[in-house]
Amino acid sequence: MGTLTLDEVSQHKTARSCWVIIRNTVYDVTDFLPDHPGGSRSILRFAGKDATTDFEGIHPPGTLEERLPESAKLGTVDINGGRGTASDENEEEDAKLAAEPEDMLNIADIEDHASRTLSKKAWAYYFSASDDMRTKIHNNTIFNLVLFRPRVFRDITAVDTTARMLGIKTSLPVFVSPAALARLAHPDGEKAIARACGKQGILQMISNNASLRYPDIVSARVSNEQPFAFQLYVQNERARSEKQLRDVVKAGCKAVVLTLDAPTPGKREMDERRAREEARASGHVDDGEALSANSGRGKGTEGGVGRALFQGTAGDLVWDDLNWLRKQLPDDIKIVLKGLQTVEDVVLATQQVDKTTGKALVDAVLLSNHGGRALEGSSPPLLILEELRTYAPDVFQSLEVYIDGGIRRGTDVVKALCLGATQVGIGRPALMSLAGGFGEAGVSRVIQILREEIATAMRLLGAITIDQLGPQYVNTSQLDAILGPSPQAAAAAAIFKAKL
């Protein structure tokens, strides 16, 4: 390999000859263009230029070595420390917006800081949701419909926020939900989240689409006892998922979280619009191509980062596939179903048994609508939780029930716990807390904020342990008015009771 000039590299910017720079190394990716999972245009946008920042934001280390032959590595280039990507234009502005994690008083502050320091690409991916984003908004605002019923003359001098999840002890009834592409916000990405979760004593569910490989993330654990769960999107090529699970088991895993609420990507217009503008600016897409991609018929990332991540995801899963999943895992690894949104499906989850042993297949369910990023108009998880408590309260004795989506305050967590949730997940707050150079300290700050707010809410309610929280502490009349009668839920609950 030799040394190449920027002028030499810039001459190779077409599909006939496409070179890119990553970490000062020049790669010839021409032959790889047709095989790129995200489509050729996502690479051509950086043809003849430096792609380091965008590449590293969404690809784990080792991707180049795995996908490209050694002959594709052409040499090095001196770019004088510049990366030549749009996201680097924010660096000077980031310095002006310097702040410390301790300056963040709540999650709204974290989000505001992220909005001013993240690249446009990262912000569009993290913040976006389906269609008009009403479901995402409703996920949060519905918590306002649950009111507290505080008790007095209680000794609240010592409050204990410890909880349990899948047989492990956690310092809070809070976990980090699967959240993809953390390196769009910080170079340490999911490793920073792992370290913060380990030090703060909560569980991290690692995304199937993490920007670092699962074993690399787990290697950042602060102790050998730190638990992790792995989110699984089953692939059309089952062999790929089976290999993925073998790697996860080898690295260490408490549970596999099978994601069901997004068998196909939702229409995330903010993400798609950003991608179309970027593609058009690069000169590698015309209006017709962009519209085709945005409607789901095109190839590449002009449909947005979110749409590209779903390529290859299986859309044919049925309940019997749980037996396939169980066979891939040792007996001590739990199965969590993420994305259940009706009483009927939760009841069905309790009825799934291993065809060989007769043991229950599902250990927990995570009520979720994918953070409002899948089906616009789907019910907020808190409403699903209340429906479950109303029609099938015995289900809570059969498996653990979690929720995520819309959590912005410790009081939100406490309300969910009062309605029967075992644990509550946060996704976007963990990603956004990495921004502006915060990294691990930002994630720790988010967890600390929730810890303080949960403890304060418990004291003011008159409860000093998580186990004491229950429906006696909340007024759900406004929530129940929205819920209304549900013959389907009632019928499912009747079937569940009959089988007890």
Side-chain angles (χ1 to χ4, degrees):
M1 295 193 306
T3 301
L4 300 164
T5 68
L6 285 173
D7 286 341
E8 288 176 305
V9 176
S10 67
Q11 301 304 310
H12 299 268
K13 56 183 179 181
T14 70
R16 293 186 298 275
S17 180
C18 180
W19 294 6
V20 296
I21 303 169
I22 298 174
R23 285 288 177 193
N24 291 0
T25 299
V26 182
Y27 294 88
D28 183 349
V29 295
T30 309
D31 293 339
F32 181 62
L33 290 175
D35 301 321
H36 185 242
S40 61
R41 289 192 294 271
S42 60
I43 298 179
L44 286 169
R45 290 186 291 110
F46 298 102
K49 296 184 290 187
D50 191 298
T52 302
T53 299
D54 281 73
F55 177 86
E56 293 190 340
I58 59 177
H59 295 88
T63 300
L64 289 171
E65 290 76 9
E66 181 180 294
R67 297 296 184 92
L68 297 178
E70 185 65 23
S71 59
K73 190 182 295 185
L74 302 180
T76 59
V77 64
D78 180 13
I79 56 174
N80 299 318
R83 290 186 172 178
T85 56
S87 49
D88 286 316
E89 296 172 1
N90 294 323
E91 291 182 357
E92 183 178 344
E93 185 65 20
D94 288 353
K96 297 177 183 178
L97 298 169
E100 297 297 330
E102 292 73 20
D103 298 330
M104 307 293 109
L105 299 183
N106 51 47
I107 289 178
D109 286 351
I110 292 283
E111 184 174 295
D112 177 66
H113 180 256
S115 72
R116 294 180 290 114
T117 56
L118 284 172
S119 69
K120 291 181 179 179
K121 177 178 183 175
W123 177 252
Y125 175 67
Y126 291 166
F127 188 80
S128 64
S130 291
D131 297 0
D132 298 311
M133 302 203 297
R134 291 172 183 166
T135 302
K136 174 192 173 186
I137 295 169
H138 200 192
N139 281 353
N140 173 250
T141 57
I142 198 165
F143 282 93
N144 297 332
L145 301 182
V146 177
L147 304 179
F148 284 122
R149 303 181 68 248
R151 301 300 304 274
V152 298
F153 281 122
R154 302 281 181 90
D155 181 356
I156 48 85
T157 52
V159 169
D160 182 2
T161 62
T162 58
R164 299 197 69 81
M165 181 181 194
L166 300 172
I168 61 174
K169 183 179 180 180
T170 61
S171 71
L172 280 178
V174 173
F175 61 91
V176 173
S177 287
L181 305 184
R183 292 181 78 209
L184 286 176
H186 191 276
D188 290 347
E190 290 82 4
K191 280 189 174 183
I193 298 175
R195 289 193 293 266
C197 287
K199 293 175 183 178
Q200 294 292 326
I202 69 173
L203 182 137
Q204 176 189 10
M205 293 181 177
I206 296 174
S207 171
N208 187 103
N209 294 317
S211 50
L212 293 167
R213 300 182 190 279
Y214 182 89
D216 294 333
I217 299 168
V218 172
S219 71
R221 61 162 68 98
V222 299
S223 73
N224 291 332
E225 291 72 37
Q226 182 178 343
F228 294 90
F230 173 71
Q231 177 204 33
L232 176 67
Y233 283 111
V234 177
Q235 299 297 297
N236 288 322
E237 298 178 29
R238 289 291 176 92
R240 290 184 59 192
S241 293
E242 291 169 359
K243 180 185 183 305
Q244 201 171 25
L245 289 170
R246 288 194 296 271
D247 293 341
V248 165
V249 169
K250 183 178 179 180
C253 178
K254 184 66 179 178
V256 168
V257 183
L258 180 61
T259 295
L260 303 166
D261 50 7
T264 189
K267 188 167 182 276
R268 306 176 192 175
E269 294 179 2
M270 184 177 182
D271 185 30
E272 293 180 6
R273 183 173 290 110
R274 189 280 319 161
R276 183 168 65 172
E277 291 171 353
E278 188 175 83
R280 185 177 290 158
S282 71
H284 288 290
V285 65
D286 61 27
D287 289 343
E289 289 172 325
L291 290 171
S292 175
N294 285 338
S295 64
R297 296 187 296 273
K299 297 180 179 179
T301 57
E302 286 77 22
V305 175
R307 186 176 295 278
L309 291 177
F310 278 87
Q311 295 194 27
T313 301
D316 60 352
L317 295 185
V318 294
W319 286 102
D320 193 52
D321 286 309
L322 287 173
N323 278 279
W324 163 81
L325 177 58
R326 182 71 270 172
K327 290 177 182 178
Q328 312 306 316
L329 305 173
D331 291 342
D332 61 339
I333 293 184
K334 311 290 187 181
I335 293 178
V336 180
L337 300 187
K338 177 185 180 293
L340 276 64
Q341 299 173 68
T342 62
V343 172
E344 300 96 295
D345 279 341
V346 175
V347 168
L348 282 171
T350 68
Q351 297 171 354
Q352 305 307 306
V353 295
D354 190 313
K355 291 181 177 179
T356 303
T357 66
K359 295 181 180 179
L361 284 169
V362 180
D363 298 285
V365 295
L366 172 49
L367 309 181
S368 176
N369 58 25
H370 218 75
R373 293 158 80 87
L375 177 62
E376 176 79 311
S378 55
S379 296
L382 188 73
L383 187 64
I384 304 166
L385 181 67
E386 174 65 357
E387 184 177 48
L388 191 60
R389 186 181 73 89
T390 300
Y391 289 99
D394 293 333
V395 163
F396 293 93
Q397 306 305 316
S398 298
L399 41 68
E400 294 183 357
V401 179
Y402 318 136
I403 76 165
D404 70 7
I407 307 300
R408 290 296 178 270
R409 287 286 186 179
T411 49
D412 298 338
V413 175
V414 173
K415 289 175 182 179
L417 298 175
C418 286
L419 295 184
T422 308
Q423 293 257 343
V424 178
I426 57 170
R428 287 184 180 93
L431 291 175
M432 292 184 179
S433 66
L434 294 165
F438 282 2
E440 176 191 334
V443 183
S444 289
R445 181 58 184 150
V446 163
I447 300 169
Q448 291 163 358
I449 288 169
L450 290 175
R451 187 186 305 281
E452 294 164 3
E453 293 182 349
I454 290 169
T456 297
M458 290 174 63
R459 283 191 169 93
L460 293 173
L461 274 178
I464 59 173
T465 66
I466 298 299
D467 290 341
Q468 289 180 0
L469 296 173
Q472 70 273 20
Y473 285 109
V474 289
N475 180 330
T476 60
S477 59
Q478 295 182 77
L479 196 62
D480 294 334
I482 294 176
L483 183 61
S486 176
Q488 301 95 328
I495 294 173
F496 176 77
K497 290 179 181 179
K499 293 189 176 183
L500 286 178

